[in-house]
Every structure is written in structure tokens, then in C-alpha cells.
Amino acid sequence: MAAHLDQNATTAAAPEVVAAMLPWLSAPSANPSAGHAAGQAAADAVRAARGEVARLCRARHTSEVVFTSGGTESILTAIHAACVAQPTRRKLVTSTVEHSATRRALEVREAAGTHDVVRIGVDAEGRLDRAALFAALDRETACVTLLAANNETGVVFDLVGVGEACARVGAAFHVDAVQVPGKLPLDVRALACDLASISGHKFHGPRGTGALFVRDGFRFTPSIVGGPQEGERRAGTENLPGIVGLGVAARLARQKAEDPATRAALAAQRDRLERALVALLPGAHVHGAGAPRVPNTTNVGFDFGAAADAPDAATLLALLFEAGVEASAGSACNARKVAPSPVLLALGRTPRQAASALRFSLSHGTTEAELDRAISATEAALSALRSSP
Ligand code: PLP
């Protein structure tokens, strides 16, 4: 079995999640919109799942949860709704280190000429330039969309006061909270956000499931129209097994993230891995280590030297895959080539540094044996790279 240390990319559905989903995969007539008994049982199951997701993000009302197909759909829906809510405003504010779902959604509006995008920078540790953010907000701003936690570095943005500042100028505030559940408590009320996105497969729920928090009272326009499902906020027959699984995953993630000892145990595993990896090569260091981070993520920069033919993260990653260790190079890469990570470039790293980092991301099920395997495989890979001509 491979050591799966790429849990920010995706996680396996928890056994409890799979067990809860199975009966609904084959249940006849399980359409929550139907009036008969089977339909009502399905509607009850959706209601229970909605309650769990609302508790996960500490929403005030269960009606604030809209089920979607995942993080990407939630983010696109949120940005669309925010733009429609303020049709005369042109400005969209975001950061330089967002996930491609947000990045591309904004680029499309920019290219169409309907909106101007202001991208707020980060410091060398990945911390948001809060002064620049607050200075950018005005009555031209339709939407502020920001990550809660970065998928590549794990750095957690300080979003205190952002929601209130958005409310003062009438801008919508959307939080991409996809990397939070199961790692840290998620509190949409404390964030004072109008919209927040989560994705089931990032916290041991089923792939192709997610949710969008829509604050009660927010003037929401759906992206997907048709039937009356989800209170007319997301049309289409519900993915019932997926929603049920998402509900169970939400409960498990909340219990883990809200227990300080469980969070500390995960951070201790991550710290052990990170210390060992950094000790393997002179000059190795952790990107974002000086900032608050989610407890499961480490992004290790390796210094392979300045030679034109020096190895990069893709070469190292290929050797790790051969040794049964799954990690990630943070950005689009194939077996032998890695494009420098835009996130690390935004932290001020050179293209070479940004192409020489590996992300290891753990989950609560990660074993010490998996960590040992990752450490010894990285050590072997580095010495193979050193001795290769
Ligand atoms: N936002 C962040 C921070 C992510 O890490 C991801 C997935 O990698 C997404 C959004 C997209 O989520 P999904 O894969 O559910 O579409």
C-alpha cells in the first residue's frame, strides 16, 4: 500500500461514509421531491445531512446550506451570485495565492471586460497584506473572495474584520474554506462572510459533493436553474447518496477539528515529518513555516543548486512515486517537468525555487509507518539524485 501523503488533493471516503451511502445507491424511488413514503425518507436524509453541514460550519440556520457538486461549483456559484447582487460594481478583490477555481473564475470576468480584478499580495511567509486589502475596499467593490487556508502551503489567512469591512461598503464576502474542514474549526459567523465553499472529498466525504454556505438574507441568484431543488438555489435532482455521505463526513470532520488534542496529534506528526525532511538536504526549508498553518500540511523547498540541469520537484516526485510515496509538487506537473507554483512565486520565490518544492499533506488516519516510509524514500531519492551524473 502506498503512503498517501497527498490528502489536500483528495481523501478516501471514511468507512462510516460509505456505509451510510450504500443503501441510498440502490433505494428505489428515493427522490426527495417525491410525495410518497420513499421520497419522504429521502427528504429526511437530506434534511439530516443539511443539519450536519450547517453544524460543521456553524451556520445559524440549516437553510443556509446549499448542496453542490464540490468546491469548484461552490466557488463559481458564489462569485456569480456576488456579481449579480451588485450589477453596477466592477471591482472584484482577491489574493495572489488563490486556488485555480477562483483564479480562473475571475480571469474569465476580467477577459470579458465586465470586471476589474484587484489581487492582494502576500509576504514571504504567505500572510495576506491586510492593509492593502482594507485599502482596496470601496463602493465599487462587488465581491471579496479569499482563501481560508492555502491548499499548497497550508497557510491560514487572518480574515478577522474582513467580513465587517465588506459589509460596510456593501460588497459580498466569499471564503474558499475547502481546506479547512477536519483540520480547523470552521465558523462562518465569526468570519462574518456571506458565502463560503466546502468540498466533500477533502474531508473523507464522497468525491463530487460539496456545499455552499449562503448567509440568510443574502440576495442570492442561482447559477444552475431548472427545478425547485435546494430552495430554488441549485436545480437538479439531488445526489442523494453523495449528500448523505457528505453529512456523515461533516460530522466526523467537525468532531476531529474541534478536539484540540486531535489537532495537536496531527500537527505533531506533520512537524516530525517536516523536521526529518528538512534535515535531509542542506538549504531545505519549509514554505510558510512562519505563518499560522493548518496542522496537516508541509511544503518543503529543496535546494538542488543553480546548475541548468539541476533536478527539480518533478524528478524527486517521480522517484517517490516509484517508492510508493504519494506527495505533490504543488502545481501542474508531469513525470519529468514541473511548472513553477504560482503560489510560491507569489511568496517571492524564484522560478527555480518555486519548481523545487514538495507538498506532503496528512490526514487523521496517517500512520507513523507512512511517515517513516516518506522520510526514507526521500532520503534515498535525494542520494540517487546526488550521485546521478
Ligand atoms: N479550493 C481549494 C483551496 C482547493 O484545494 C480545491 C481543490 O483542490 C478547490 C477549491 C476545488 O475543489 P473541488 O475539487 O471539490 O472542485
Side-chain angles (χ1 to χ4, degrees):
M1 267 256 289
H4 181 49
L5 297 173
D6 196 15
Q7 306 268 353
N8 283 6
T10 198
T11 58
E16 298 93 322
V17 168
V18 176
M21 290 173 70
L22 280 178
W24 295 106
L25 285 167
S26 53
S29 319
N31 184 335
S33 301
H36 48 60
Q40 286 314 295
D44 287 346
V46 171
R47 203 170 297 119
R50 202 181 305 282
E52 289 296 355
V53 174
R55 272 189 287 282
L56 170 73
C57 56
R58 297 192 189 161
R60 252 184 212 92
H61 311 291
T62 55
S63 59
E64 293 176 316
V65 172
V66 178
F67 291 116
T68 67
S69 67
T72 299
E73 183 191 320
S74 296
I75 290 167
L76 265 71
T77 303
I79 292 171
H80 170 257
C83 291
V84 175
Q86 290 288 5
T88 60
R89 297 187 177 197
R90 283 186 61 90
K91 194 197 276 189
L92 305 173
V93 178
T94 189
S95 83
T96 52
V97 294
E98 297 295 311
H99 185 269
S100 52
T102 299
R103 207 163 57 225
R104 290 290 301 128
L106 299 180
E107 281 168 5
V108 165
R109 286 177 186 274
E110 205 172 30
T114 56
H115 291 86
D116 304 315
V117 180
V118 176
R119 296 175 178 83
I120 306 297
V122 296
D123 70 10
E125 299 296 333
R127 284 177 293 236
L128 188 65
D129 183 344
R130 284 171 51 86
L133 172 67
F134 288 114
L137 299 184
D138 59 18
R139 296 206 161 265
E140 269 303 296
T141 311
C143 177
V144 174
T145 177
L146 291 169
L147 280 165
N150 189 280
N151 46 300
E152 287 188 37
T153 59
V155 169
V156 176
F157 272 168
D158 176 1
L159 298 178
V160 172
V162 177
E164 291 79 0
C166 288
R168 279 196 291 279
V169 296
F173 180 34
H174 166 247
V175 177
D176 172 358
V178 165
Q179 289 293 343
V180 175
K183 299 165 190 167
L184 293 175
L186 175 59
D187 190 337
V188 290
R189 283 190 255 173
L191 285 166
C193 59
D194 299 297
L195 302 150
S197 297
I198 62 168
S199 168
H201 75 108
K202 304 291 185 179
F203 55 95
H204 300 287
R207 277 175 268 278
T209 67
L212 177 64
F213 161 80
V214 181
R215 182 181 55 72
D216 206 14
F218 180 78
R219 203 147 39 89
F220 179 84
T221 303
S223 294
I224 300 180
V225 293
Q229 293 87 357
E230 296 296 291
E232 301 197 0
R233 292 170 300 176
R234 202 273 190 181
T237 300
E238 296 86 345
N239 170 8
L240 186 60
I243 288 171
V244 168
L246 181 67
V248 174
R251 173 169 50 79
L252 299 173
R254 177 173 54 82
Q255 288 164 349
K256 292 201 168 76
E258 292 188 351
D259 177 27
T262 305
R263 286 203 307 272
L266 184 57
Q269 279 191 312
R270 186 271 312 273
D271 292 347
R272 172 167 96 81
L273 174 66
E274 162 170 298
R275 272 194 306 272
L277 293 174
V278 164
L280 291 178
L281 193 69
H285 54 281
V286 175
H287 296 297
R293 289 181 295 162
V294 288
N296 79 315
T297 308
T298 184
N299 188 312
V300 183
F302 293 97
D303 182 359
F304 294 114
D309 60 348
D312 65 10
T315 328
L316 182 54
L317 200 58
L319 292 172
L320 290 186
F321 289 167
E322 277 168 28
V325 175
E326 295 172 358
S328 130
S331 191
C333 72
N334 60 40
R336 290 285 157 204
K337 215 171 162 44
V338 59
S341 153
V343 169
L344 296 182
L345 291 175
L347 266 64
R349 306 300 187 265
T350 64
R352 183 180 288 274
Q353 289 167 334
S356 304
L358 286 191
R359 177 189 71 184
F360 295 82
S361 47
L362 289 60
S363 98
H364 294 283
T366 299
T367 63
E368 295 299 323
E370 284 181 294
L371 301 183
D372 289 338
R373 187 162 175 183
I375 295 162
S376 56
T378 310
E379 185 171 19
L382 288 172
S383 73
L385 290 177
R386 262 196 303 265
S387 55
S388 67

